[in-house]
Amino acid sequence: MLTTAGEKEILPRLIAALIDISGATGNTFFTSIVGGTVHVLAPEHIYTGDGNRPVVMVELKLPNIGLPDPASRAAFVAAATDIVDDLTVAGHERANTWVNVLNALDGGWGIGGVAYTGDALIAAVAAAAEPTAAR
């Protein structure tokens, strides 16, 4: 359901929305640990409970501190749905965009062999936000 350009643009736009909604724009540590993949399936390989239909699924996996409250999750769901709307072919229905936010358990978010707790991630993000002179 994504346009050719949409396949290339969706992930950078979703990442930018997540960083913005998280209030971490410009934070080098936070930005460096945000990434993802795009999986494009033929429409005939996408099914829901009521049968085959052209659903675009955005699945966001985060540590337990990511989008920590209902308001931030709702803001991301709305932003992600708007992004999909901009990048899909004509006729894609908004109701066929599903967004899921999945949070890892504390200590279940690993990067480079390090299992981060929420507190450790907050400390790393805060350290990256400190002015250079304070480091």
Side-chain angles (χ1 to χ4, degrees):
M1 296 310 308
L2 293 171
T3 64
T4 301
E7 288 181 23
K8 294 177 183 155
E9 294 177 31
I10 193 164
L11 199 50
R13 288 182 60 182
L14 289 170
I15 288 170
L18 172 63
I19 292 169
D20 180 53
I21 291 165
S22 297
T25 300
N27 186 290
T28 55
F29 177 77
F30 190 87
T31 299
S32 75
I33 63 168
V34 178
T37 58
V38 176
H39 302 272
V40 179
L41 301 174
E44 63 269 16
H45 295 289
I46 301 170
Y47 293 88
T48 66
D50 60 357
N52 177 255
R53 67 188 232 219
V55 175
V56 174
M57 296 182 185
V58 175
E59 186 173 274
L60 180 64
K61 297 175 185 174
L62 298 169
N64 64 336
I65 62 163
L67 301 178
D69 55 65
S72 62
R73 290 188 290 274
F76 182 79
V77 167
T81 303
D82 289 344
I83 290 166
V84 170
D85 282 352
D86 287 346
L87 300 176
T88 51
V89 297
H92 177 74
E93 296 177 20
R94 191 170 175 90
N96 285 331
T97 298
W98 298 4
V99 181
N100 299 302
V101 178
L102 308 169
N103 289 107
L105 297 173
D106 197 37
W109 192 258
I111 300 171
V114 177
Y116 284 93
T117 63
D119 289 342
L121 282 167
I122 290 169
V125 170
E130 292 176 5
T132 305
R135 287 188 206 163

